[in-house]
């Protein structure tokens, strides 16, 4: 009985199709595996787990990095403005020293300017008490940079006279190494500027 052989080109075409199909399937499976690994890794970064009393696993959602940064930034600004403006004859040196840890040379330059203008000498001479009443900060992010605008309300007690002021200050925030207790939030104020200062009368308060 005569055996008929298939055309060699037909066999090669079939083999080439099978090889190409296997390569495509392999690539698709690898891409799917990489996507699954990336997805699992991303979910793991955003979640933590705790063990319940009965041994079951409880997923705990973690706050995002931006949310955490905002909390740290607001606390940092609160701390700085309290140290820099909540001063009297007994604590101003200690408070200002702490404030200088929280900002760069722009804060130091402002401190030196106030010192040269006799602000702290008047504090000592007249036993003035400068007390912060409120601090309200707004933080904005633009292209990875963080800027802030803070409204600080403080009063100056001159004994028989108490005057209230509103200070608007601006600047930027950058991340640095934490330094406890000097800089617990790991942030630094840059480009600090006292934008405006006005006296508030009784009607504005």
């Amino acid at each position: 009985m005569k055996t008929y052989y298939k055309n060699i080109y037909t066999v090669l075409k079939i083999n080439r199709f099978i090889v190409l199909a296997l390569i495509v399937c392999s690539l698709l499976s690898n891409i799917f595996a990489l996507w699954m690994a990336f997805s699992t890794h991303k979910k793991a970064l955003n979640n933590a787990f705790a063990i319940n009393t009965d041994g079951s696993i409880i997923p705990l959602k973690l706050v995002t990095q931006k949310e955490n940064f905002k909390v740290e930034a607001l606390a940092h600004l609160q701390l700085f403005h309290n140290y820099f403006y909540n001063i009297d004859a007994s604590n101003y040196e200690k408070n200002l020293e702490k404030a200088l840890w929280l900002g760069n040379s722009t804060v130091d330059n402002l401190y030196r300017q106030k010192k040269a203008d006799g602000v702290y000498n008047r504090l000592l001479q007249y036993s003035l008490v400068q007390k912060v009443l409120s601090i309200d900060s707004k933080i904005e992010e633009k292209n990875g940079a963080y800027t802030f605008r803070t409204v600080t309300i403080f009063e100056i007690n001159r004994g028989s006279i108490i005057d209230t002021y509103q200070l608007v200050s601006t600047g930027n925030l950058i991340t640095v190494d934490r330094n406890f207790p000097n800089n617990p939030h790991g942030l630094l104020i840059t480009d600090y500027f006292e934008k405006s200062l006005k006296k508030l009368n009784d009607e504005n308060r």
Side-chain angles (χ1 to χ4, degrees):
M1 184 177 179
K2 189 175 181 179
T3 304
Y4 293 94
Y5 294 96
K6 293 182 178 180
N7 188 296
I8 186 65
Y9 293 106
T10 303
V11 174
L12 290 175
K13 284 181 181 180
I14 294 172
N15 287 342
R16 185 171 62 181
F17 174 78
I18 294 173
V19 170
L20 289 174
L22 288 174
I23 291 174
V24 171
C25 290
S26 177
L27 286 174
L28 290 174
S29 63
N30 286 336
I31 291 171
F32 179 74
L34 289 172
W35 178 81
M36 287 295 294
F38 174 78
S39 178
T40 303
H41 177 69
K42 188 175 180 180
K43 288 179 180 179
L45 288 177
N46 291 327
N47 290 273
F49 300 93
I51 306 299
N52 202 354
T53 53
D54 60 359
S56 60
I57 297 176
I58 306 172
L60 303 175
K61 191 71 178 177
L62 297 179
V63 295
T64 64
Q65 186 177 1
K66 286 186 178 180
E67 289 173 339
N68 192 43
F69 178 88
K70 186 176 181 180
V71 172
E72 296 270 10
L74 290 174
H76 186 84
L77 293 171
Q78 183 88 10
L79 196 63
F80 168 77
H81 287 83
N82 259 319
Y83 282 147
F84 204 73
Y85 298 103
N86 199 76
I87 54 177
D88 57 41
S90 64
N91 69 10
Y92 83 97
E93 289 184 330
K94 178 178 65 177
N95 280 9
L96 291 173
E97 182 181 353
K98 291 178 180 178
L100 292 176
W101 277 95
L102 307 179
N104 71 347
S105 58
T106 57
V107 174
D108 184 64
N109 290 339
L110 179 61
Y111 159 71
R112 293 177 184 277
Q113 179 186 332
K114 287 177 177 289
K115 188 175 182 180
D117 291 341
V119 172
Y120 306 118
N121 283 338
R122 288 194 294 274
L123 197 75
L124 292 172
Q125 184 177 357
Y126 301 106
S127 298
L128 304 179
V129 176
Q130 185 169 295
K131 181 181 179 182
V132 171
L133 302 178
S134 67
I135 300 170
D136 181 27
S137 298
K138 304 294 182 185
I139 301 170
E140 291 186 5
E141 179 192 4
K142 188 175 182 180
N143 299 326
Y146 291 89
T147 62
F148 69 87
R149 179 181 184 275
T150 301
V151 178
T152 305
I153 306 295
F154 64 91
E155 64 181 20
I156 297 180
N157 189 327
R158 296 180 171 85
S160 59
I161 301 174
I162 299 178
D163 294 321
T164 305
Y165 297 87
Q166 175 184 280
L167 170 71
V168 177
S169 56
T170 59
N172 300 324
L173 286 170
I174 60 174
T175 56
V176 295
D177 291 335
R178 294 179 189 267
N179 185 337
F180 186 83
N182 297 317
N183 192 333
H185 301 290
L187 295 170
L188 196 70
I189 294 171
T190 65
D191 303 312
Y192 187 69
F193 179 64
E194 290 184 343
K195 189 175 182 180
S196 65
L197 176 67
K198 68 176 181 179
K199 185 177 179 181
L200 302 178
N201 56 32
D202 293 335
E203 293 178 358
N204 297 132
R205 293 169 62 182

